[in-house]
Amino acid sequence: MKKATKFTHLSRPPAGLGTAVNYSAARASTLLFERAEDLYRNDIRGYGRHGTQVHDALADMFTELEGGAGTVLFPSGLAACTYPILAMVKTGDHVLLTDSSYGPVRNFCMRHLKRMGIETEIYNPRIGANIASLIRENTAVIMLESPGSLTFEIQDTPAIVKAAQARNVTTIIDNTWSAGLVYNPLAMGVDVSCHAATKYYGGHSDVMYGAAICRTEALHSQVKNIAKDFGNASSPEDAYQVLRGFRSILTRFEHQQASALKIAAWLAKHPKVAQVLHPALPEHPDHALWQRDFTGSACIFSVILNPTSDADVLTFINGLKLFGIGFSYGGFESLAIHCDPQLRRSHSEKLKGPLIRFACGLEDAGDLQADIEQAFHTIS
Ligand SMILES: Cc1ncc(COP(=O)(O)O)c(C=O)c1O
């Protein structure tokens, strides 16, 4: 079955007389048993924190999405990144984290892993096979994100995985950008693929959710056990909404992908723009890697404006009428942010101008382009 068919037909209750087409979100803390003998069985779910039927159906769908062995669900995308890291480390270990990682993942490593006596070293996302030179005896995890947050570098994932596997190091990737639809890191040997399902799978900017898809049953147990011991649990209503998102994601993804590409290509020739950071554009420095490993692109990209004042940047963003000013992407509505205040990079040169990130929603691409053009007219 192709993805479109799977996303329509899998993780649904068996058809019966008058059954609903989707599982319902059953609210539960207590689960009841018929017999006292069953209370402490390990092979059945005993308590609401351990999930419900709709959680199982959603986890199965994520596992199917990337061909993993199992999925652990989380109440946010950030938790879907931090728990798998935590599952793989102990005091005295060393973690390699891409410079292009989502900022709060960096904060988690620098603040909380540090507190536990685990050192995090930031590496250049474009390091490729040379990552081997950074792997130490105590390196436990290499964390990747491709393309990177805000600056959209593509990593040479197969080369990094090869070096990691040679030294028995676990690889974890933040795969939110591709939604697992146009990039399959597990097939390249990555151990855990993390998703902020808040984005495309939520799809409507009204739910926070995360999923970590594990390549083997052993990795799945490791992540599942730490999540269970730390009290991880997510709302059945949120799980229901994310499963609902699967049903329509391909159509939404394709529309948003096409809009982003059209607008990015137009912006690349715009006199007010110095550079567009979208890996599907031929002029992107990692375009060849993107072409080799990806089968499509997302709704989100950044532009570096020609040098201008901070005031101009704010005026431009405030001048947008269709793009909301707000964080996130993958929802039905377009968004824009100024990236510079949150941009932290240890390995790349300072950008030549202000960085703005656009996320395209489901509006008409021509209307979005016209909106950007009219906002450009508001600045010098
Ligand atoms: C690449 C990436 N990873 C993880 C996250 C965190 O997801 P959440 O907001 O669901 O915690 C985000 C959110 O913006 C993201 O962009």
Side-chain angles (χ1 to χ4, degrees):
M1 274 195 282
K2 294 278 191 295
K3 281 197 168 81
T5 314
K6 286 183 183 175
F7 292 173
T8 307
H9 287 277
L10 299 186
S11 286
R12 284 173 51 182
L17 207 56
T19 45
V21 297
N22 284 314
Y23 284 110
S24 302
R27 299 192 59 86
S29 55
T30 298
L31 303 176
L32 291 174
F33 301 84
E34 273 180 300
R35 302 171 338 131
E37 290 88 325
D38 291 332
L39 274 170
Y40 298 101
R41 274 172 57 173
N42 286 327
D43 60 330
I44 52 173
R45 209 190 328 261
Y47 190 51
R49 202 172 53 225
H50 306 150
T52 62
Q53 217 171 22
V54 76
H55 290 97
D56 287 351
L58 177 60
D60 287 350
M61 195 68 120
F62 272 112
T63 302
E64 190 63 41
L65 170 71
E66 290 205 35
T71 296
V72 184
L73 302 174
F74 295 94
S76 73
L78 179 57
C81 296
T82 55
Y83 272 94
I85 299 175
L86 203 53
M88 308 297 165
V89 292
K90 62 179 183 322
T91 299
D93 279 348
H94 171 243
V95 168
L96 285 165
L97 174 69
T98 176
D99 202 14
S100 57
S101 73
Y102 176 60
V105 171
R106 192 176 181 129
N107 292 342
F108 164 78
C109 292
M110 293 308 181
R111 293 175 188 156
H112 301 289
L113 293 187
K114 186 175 178 197
R115 207 164 41 79
M116 292 177 231
I118 297 153
E119 183 191 346
T120 301
E121 181 176 347
I122 305 291
Y123 69 88
N124 186 333
R126 295 192 164 114
I127 195 166
N130 289 333
I131 193 98
S133 65
L134 300 183
I135 298 178
R136 305 179 193 166
E137 279 307 302
N138 61 342
T139 305
V141 169
I142 301 176
M143 181 76 194
L144 302 93
E145 185 179 330
S146 186
S149 276
L150 307 177
T151 41
F152 300 93
E153 299 89 344
I154 299 287
Q155 297 201 248
D156 190 343
T157 301
I160 292 174
V161 168
K162 193 170 170 209
Q165 286 181 343
R167 302 283 296 276
N168 237 345
V169 176
T170 302
T171 45
I172 304 174
I173 194 164
D174 185 332
N175 194 19
T176 301
W177 187 86
S178 90
L181 299 177
V182 294
Y183 191 50
N184 190 347
L186 293 195
M188 297 173 189
V190 172
D191 292 314
V192 184
S193 177
C194 311
H195 288 266
T198 306
K199 315 295 170 195
Y200 279 107
Y201 287 99
H204 298 76
S205 307
D206 55 2
V207 59
M208 312 280 314
Y209 216 77
I213 310 164
C214 306
R215 191 172 55 80
T216 66
E217 197 37 67
L219 291 157
H220 181 221
S221 293
Q222 240 174 308
V223 178
K224 195 166 64 177
N225 289 340
I226 195 162
K228 188 173 177 190
D229 290 349
F230 272 72
N232 171 69
S234 63
S235 140
E237 265 103 10
D238 292 350
Y240 174 88
Q241 291 294 354
V242 174
L243 183 53
R244 200 170 190 256
F246 263 95
R247 307 290 181 215
S248 60
I249 190 170
L250 282 171
T251 311
R252 290 184 284 109
F253 192 92
E254 277 164 23
H255 178 105
Q256 288 169 271
Q257 162 176 235
S259 297
L261 263 176
K262 182 177 175 192
I263 294 167
W266 167 71
L267 282 166
K269 296 195 182 76
H270 199 282
K272 291 222 158 81
V273 171
Q275 195 182 351
V276 176
L277 306 179
H278 188 315
L281 294 189
E283 56 271 32
H284 187 278
D286 306 320
H287 181 66
L289 272 184
W290 173 82
Q291 241 177 347
R292 188 192 70 184
D293 292 344
F294 288 72
T295 55
S297 55
C299 65
I300 187 167
F301 65 93
S302 290
V303 299
I304 303 172
L305 297 184
N306 288 326
T308 188
S309 67
D310 281 353
D312 263 357
V313 175
L314 298 182
T315 303
F316 168 69
I317 294 175
N318 288 334
L320 293 164
K321 294 187 167 75
L322 296 179
F323 286 82
I325 303 170
F327 299 102
S328 206
Y329 61 99
F332 64 90
E333 82 304 8
S334 296
L335 295 169
I337 55 166
H338 179 205
C339 303
D340 298 340
Q342 60 160 305
L343 193 64
R344 277 171 296 167
R345 292 292 182 264
S346 312
H347 288 283
S348 45
E349 285 169 26
K350 204 171 169 314
L351 301 178
K352 293 190 181 75
L355 189 67
I356 292 177
R357 189 181 76 178
F358 292 103
C360 297
L362 291 170
E363 302 93 330
D364 176 79
D367 287 343
L368 293 176
Q369 189 172 314
D371 189 36
I372 296 173
E373 185 58 34
Q374 67 77 27
F376 272 136
H377 289 301
T378 63
I379 61 173
S380 50

